[in-house]
């Protein structure tokens, strides 16, 4: 069981890009903490090895690269191809960028018609002979600024479109700074296709722009490759390489994690949205946006107690509500009695199709379709909101625990089980949220029941764990073992759900009531 | 009040007035030398023949690093010109070069009147008509020229 946790965390350890950067506990440490507790069981250890070897259905292969790795990759390819084409590195880099780093296509076409390839990429054939340099001219008028004084500093590439250096620099600055261009900046001459090479840029670009220019070149390199993507988390520097192609996206949800532990979908670069395929995510988000006004009231923070009608505010992630006035215990999601959830967790996750009689009336039908949507939206939004509330509570608890620690002799490592629990809650709710979008589009067949059971089991595990966070901090230390058990159970249910949905997606066993585009 | 006019703009303006392009006039406003009142004749043989079209042209601060802003004030039925008079022309966008000038841009616009391109439309409705029923589209363009453009 612990192996599952470990295995999973190494794949998708974050709920999205919302992860707090400089958290004082490392995510890995908390996993180790769990491992340590179960680790002396020999049976678990052998099982762990077996499971590690076998890839889960929801896992994809990927590699993470730092900016330096990306630079090295480019340099290596330039070196390689430069040798083959017998061209200087500057020209080779331009050629590779022109061919969007498709080495094979470049070499093939170059061998076929060298002259044509060079001119198409904006390279004069004799690029090698004389390096670009600034020239002082006396009888010259710059076509851009109309300066014509003696001793004017000018610059031109091989194409001989000559302008004063001030204008040339200003032009490059405009392209780099304002238009974000780098790899394919053309000569400022009208209609000229010559691309400004890196030697000319080194000469003409002011130092304050050099960094930006190189960053842009790097951006273009990654953007040009289908198998490479930048981590979408703000200010994250990592790129991820993954072999999953666009055409595979109806059968795989390629979830990857950068070295800063940002989990995201390689297909659409949104935050982790397993088990929902990218195209359904897109549809769902569009639908929610369109229907947001109707649905907004649902996600409000307050509801009325179904028994006495007094207003109850939801202040934690847990769905188990207790009315302060009448002590009625009910479920926030379905407003049903909580006692009935205890053993069977009755159909809180599943929308019961209304009987056909109502459907005959077309108006009732449209109302029913809205109701059906709201059913799923409600649960989707609820998990999103609960994840936030869980996180808030965790941070508050964390603070109180820190205070508690300094007054008692509990060691720091001992409260890391809270971090693990919080992380599990975030991940599981992220998945649960998307299971409802998935379910909205899912057509009923013999697979759906297993899916709903898995969803229900994970939901119950999550609510059980979430509920523990509402305990007073001084009680929490005593609940450590219990909480760790519940965390492990959540993670286990999580993997089971992800694996089952991913397997069936791969094998095309799901039927959807919409087309996957 | 404002920064002195760059040499480039002074020279261009002088040349526009001393060596005007046939069928095109561009007069800077007295109170703002970066704002031009432009008139372009519909090219002979086109469905805009016989009409004079009024445009406004403005040279932004970063001109000539950035293209001039320009739009039709006279209503015109054309697949690459929208209802607000904005023009879809490559040299006003991606293919702008600081070596281009007001006169070359105005010539390009005149050429666009002579050769509408419904494959790269800015005005979907007009472009659709142009592709599906060209004789009808050309008829409408002539009618609009009669109706809205000044007589040459
Ligand atoms: Zn100049
Ligand atoms: Zn050139
Ligand atoms: Zn990242
Ligand atoms: Zn996706
Ligand atoms: Zn009550
Ligand atoms: Zn319920």
């Amino acid at each position: 069981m612990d192996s599952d946790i470990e295995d999973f965390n190494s794949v998708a350890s974050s709920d999205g890009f919302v992860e707090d950067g400089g958290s004082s506990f490392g995510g890995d440490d908390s996993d180790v903490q769990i491992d340590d507790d179960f680790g002396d069981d020999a049976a678990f250890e052998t099982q762990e090895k077996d499971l590690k070897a076998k890839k889960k259905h929801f896992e994809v292969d990927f590699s993470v690269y730092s900016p330096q790795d990306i630079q090295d990759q480019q340099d290596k390819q330039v070196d390689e191809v430069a040798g083959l084409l017998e061209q200087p590195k500057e020209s080779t880099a331009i050629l590779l960028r022109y061919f969007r780093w498709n080495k094979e296509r470049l070499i093939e076409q170059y061998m076929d018609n060298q002259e044509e390839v060079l001119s198409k990429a904006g390279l004069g054939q004799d690029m090698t002979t004389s390096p670009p340099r600034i020239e002082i001219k006396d009888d010259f008028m710059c076509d851009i600024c109309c300066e014509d004084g003696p001793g004017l500093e000018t610059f031109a590439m091989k194409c001989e479109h000559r302008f004063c250096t001030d204008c040339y620099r200003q032009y490059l600055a405009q392209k780099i700074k304002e238009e974000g261009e780098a790899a394919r900046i053309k000569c400022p001459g009208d209609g000229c296709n010559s691309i400004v090479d890196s030697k000319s840029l080194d000469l003409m670009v002011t130092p304050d722009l050099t960094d930006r220019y190189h960053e842009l070149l790097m951006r273009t390199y990654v953007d040009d490759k289908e198998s490479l993507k930048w981590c979408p988390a703000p200010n994250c520097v990592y790129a991820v390489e993954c072999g999953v192609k666009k055409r595979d996206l109806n059968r795989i949800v390629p979830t990857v994690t950068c070295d800063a532990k940002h989990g995201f979908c390689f297909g659409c670069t949104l935050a982790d949205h397993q088990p929902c395929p990218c195209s359904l995510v897109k549809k769902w988000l569009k639908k929610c946006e369109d229907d947001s006004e109707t649905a907004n009231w649902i996600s409000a923070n307050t509801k009325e107690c179904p028994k006495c009608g007094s207003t109850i505010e939801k202040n934690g992630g847990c769905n188990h509500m207790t009315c302060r006035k009448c002590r009625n215990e009910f479920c926030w999601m379905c407003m049903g009695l909580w006692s009935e959830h205890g053993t069977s967790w009755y159909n809180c996750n599943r929308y019961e199709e209304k009987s056909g009689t109502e459907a005959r009336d077309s108006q009732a039908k449209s109302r029913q379709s809205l109701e059906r949507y709201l059913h799923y939206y409600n649960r989707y939004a609820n998990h999103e909101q609960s994840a936030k509330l869980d996180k808030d509570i965790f941070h508050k608890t964390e603070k109180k625990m820190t205070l508690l620690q300094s007054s008692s002799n509990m060691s720091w490592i001992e409260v890391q089980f809270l971090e693990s629990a919080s992380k599990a809650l975030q991940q599981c709710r992220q998945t649960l949220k998307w299971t409802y979008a998935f379910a909205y589009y899912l057509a009923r067949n013999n697979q759906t029941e297993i899916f709903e059971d898995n969803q229900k089991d994970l939901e119950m595990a999550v609510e059980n764990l979430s509920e523990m966070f509402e305990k007073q901090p001084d009680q929490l230390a005593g609940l450590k073992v219990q909480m760790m058990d519940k965390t492990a159970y959540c993670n286990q249910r999580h993997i089971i759900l992800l694996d089952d949905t991913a397997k069936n997606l791969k094998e095309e066993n799901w039927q959807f009531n919409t087309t996957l585009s | 009040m404002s920064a002195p006019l760059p040499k480039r703009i002074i020279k261009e303006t002088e040349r526009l007035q001393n060596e005007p392009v046939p069928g095109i006039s561009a007069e800077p406003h007295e109170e703002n030398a970066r704002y031009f009142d432009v008139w372009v004749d519909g090219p002979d043989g086109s469905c805009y023949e016989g009409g004079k079209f009024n445009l406004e042209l403005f040279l932004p601060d970063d001109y000539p690093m950035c293209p001039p802003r320009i739009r039709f004030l006279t209503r015109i039925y054309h697949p690459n010109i929208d209802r607000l008079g904005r023009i879809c022309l490559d040299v006003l966008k991606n293919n702008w070069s600081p070596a281009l000038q007001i006169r070359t841009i105005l010539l390009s616009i005149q050429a666009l009147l002579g050769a509408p391109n419904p494959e790269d439309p800015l005005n979907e409705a007009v472009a659709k008509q142009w592709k599906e029923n060209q004789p009808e589209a050309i008829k409408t363009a002539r009618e609009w020229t009669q109706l809205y453009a000044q007589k040459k």
Side-chain angles (χ1 to χ4, degrees), chain A residues 9 23-37 394 397-398 401-402 405 410-424 465 469 476-477 479-481 483-484 487 491:
Chain A
N9 280 342
S23 168
S24 49
F25 340 66
D28 287 331
D29 295 340
S30 49
D31 296 338
V32 169
Q33 174 69 16
I34 291 170
D35 281 355
D36 282 347
D37 266 72
F394 165 67
T397 309
E398 190 189 4
M401 292 298 271
T402 315
Q405 273 178 332
M410 206 182 352
S411 73
W412 185 238
I413 196 85
E414 275 198 275
V415 296
Q416 287 190 357
F417 70 95
L418 285 176
E419 167 89 8
S420 304
S422 168
K423 221 166 82 178
L465 181 59
F469 267 100
L476 279 175
L479 294 170
K480 178 180 161 186
V481 175
M483 203 159 191
M484 280 169 55
T487 303
N491 286 329

Side-chain angles (χ1 to χ4, degrees), chain A residues 88-105:
Chain A
K89 284 183 192 173
E90 284 73 28
S91 314
T92 309
I94 289 182
L95 286 168
L96 276 167
R97 284 181 204 124
Y98 181 78
F99 281 87
R100 302 193 180 267
W101 296 91
N102 187 333
K103 221 168 24 183
E104 290 72 29
R105 208 161 59 89

Side-chain angles (χ1 to χ4, degrees), chain A residues 143-148 167 171 174 188-190, chain B residues 7-8 11 62 64-66 95 97-100:
Chain A
D143 273 345
I144 296 179
C145 64
C146 297
E147 278 312 325
D148 53 3
C167 286
Y171 170 78
Q174 163 80 20
D190 172 29
Chain B
K7 198 169 177 176
R8 151 93 186 231
K11 286 223 167 187
D62 34 16
M65 290 305 156
C66 289
N95 286 343
S97 148
L100 282 168

Side-chain angles (χ1 to χ4, degrees), chain A residues 35-265:
Chain A
D35 281 355
D36 282 347
D37 266 72
F38 298 91
D40 39 9
D41 189 330
F44 273 120
E45 275 185 12
T46 46
Q47 195 192 2
E48 175 170 342
K49 279 191 195 98
D50 290 350
L51 283 169
K52 268 248 167 83
K54 209 175 121 224
K55 215 174 70 179
K56 296 259 180 289
H57 290 286
F58 59 88
E59 292 174 329
V60 291
D61 289 324
F62 64 91
S63 332
V64 180
Y65 298 117
S66 71
Q68 189 57 53
D69 298 335
I70 299 279
Q71 187 60 54
D72 294 347
Q73 264 187 35
Q74 291 184 68
D75 293 348
K76 209 179 126 226
Q77 291 183 53
V78 169
D79 280 351
E80 231 176 83
V81 177
L84 256 166
L85 305 186
E86 296 175 322
Q87 284 281 344
K89 284 183 192 173
E90 284 73 28
S91 314
T92 309
I94 289 182
L95 286 168
L96 276 167
R97 284 181 204 124
Y98 181 78
F99 281 87
R100 302 193 180 267
W101 296 91
N102 187 333
K103 221 168 24 183
E104 290 72 29
R105 208 161 59 89
L106 163 61
I107 294 167
E108 195 190 303
Q109 293 197 12
Y110 187 88
M111 296 307 172
D112 226 36
N113 193 342
Q114 175 177 349
E115 212 168 304
E116 193 191 309
V117 166
L118 287 172
S119 89
K120 266 205 290 194
L123 289 168
Q125 215 184 349
D126 52 353
M127 171 84 187
T128 35
T129 49
S130 58
R133 61 195 181 91
I134 290 169
E135 281 179 35
I136 312 281
K137 293 272 177 185
D138 281 330
D139 272 322
F140 176 80
M141 190 190 79
C142 169
D143 273 345
I144 296 179
C145 64
C146 297
E147 278 312 325
D148 53 3
L152 200 62
E153 269 197 8
T154 69
F155 181 80
M157 292 188 297
K158 278 283 158 208
C159 58
E160 278 303 328
H161 292 113
R162 188 168 295 281
F163 304 98
C164 81
T165 50
D166 278 354
C167 286
Y168 225 108
R169 291 203 163 104
Q170 215 187 325
Y171 170 78
L172 294 175
Q174 163 80 20
K175 290 285 165 195
I176 294 167
K177 227 160 73 188
E178 308 300 328
E179 296 170 34
E181 269 190 56
R184 289 175 271 268
I185 301 178
K186 284 182 181 173
C187 159
D190 172 29
C192 180
N193 282 324
S194 294
I195 291 169
V196 185
D197 61 282
S198 64
K199 273 212 174 123
S200 300
L201 275 152
D202 286 345
L203 194 66
M204 300 304 296
V205 166
T206 45
D208 58 309
L209 285 174
T210 318
D211 286 353
R212 174 84 182 126
Y213 169 70
H214 285 288
E215 189 194 314
L216 283 168
L217 278 187
M218 198 104 90
R219 290 263 143 207
T220 335
Y221 173 73
V222 171
D223 292 345
D224 279 351
K225 294 213 147 194
E226 200 197 353
S227 63
L228 273 179
K229 267 175 196 161
W230 293 106
C231 168
N235 300 321
C236 186
V237 296
Y238 292 104
V240 172
E241 182 169 28
C242 176
V244 173
K245 299 274 189 304
K246 245 200 174 94
R247 59 165 188 272
D248 304 325
L249 291 177
N250 286 340
R251 294 174 57 240
I252 304 171
V253 186
T255 310
V256 299
T257 313
C258 83
D259 282 0
K261 301 240 168 230
H262 303 121
F264 65 96
C265 169

Side-chain angles (χ1 to χ4, degrees), chain A residues 380-444:
Chain A
Y380 167 88
N382 181 69
H383 280 296
E384 187 170 75
Q385 195 207 9
S386 293
K388 278 182 202 130
L389 296 172
D390 281 338
K391 196 173 229 171
D392 288 352
I393 284 212
F394 165 67
H395 285 306
K396 272 184 209 142
T397 309
E398 190 189 4
K399 256 187 214 132
K400 286 184 204 155
M401 292 298 271
T402 315
L403 281 172
L404 215 68
Q405 273 178 332
S406 45
S407 60
S408 70
N409 54 5
M410 206 182 352
S411 73
W412 185 238
I413 196 85
E414 275 198 275
V415 296
Q416 287 190 357
F417 70 95
L418 285 176
E419 167 89 8
S420 304
S422 168
K423 221 166 82 178
L425 280 180
Q426 294 296 312
Q427 283 169 8
C428 292
R429 286 211 193 270
Q430 177 91 359
T431 297
L432 278 171
K433 176 177 121 174
W434 285 109
T435 58
Y436 282 107
F438 184 74
Y440 176 76
Y441 293 111
L442 199 59
R444 210 152 257 295

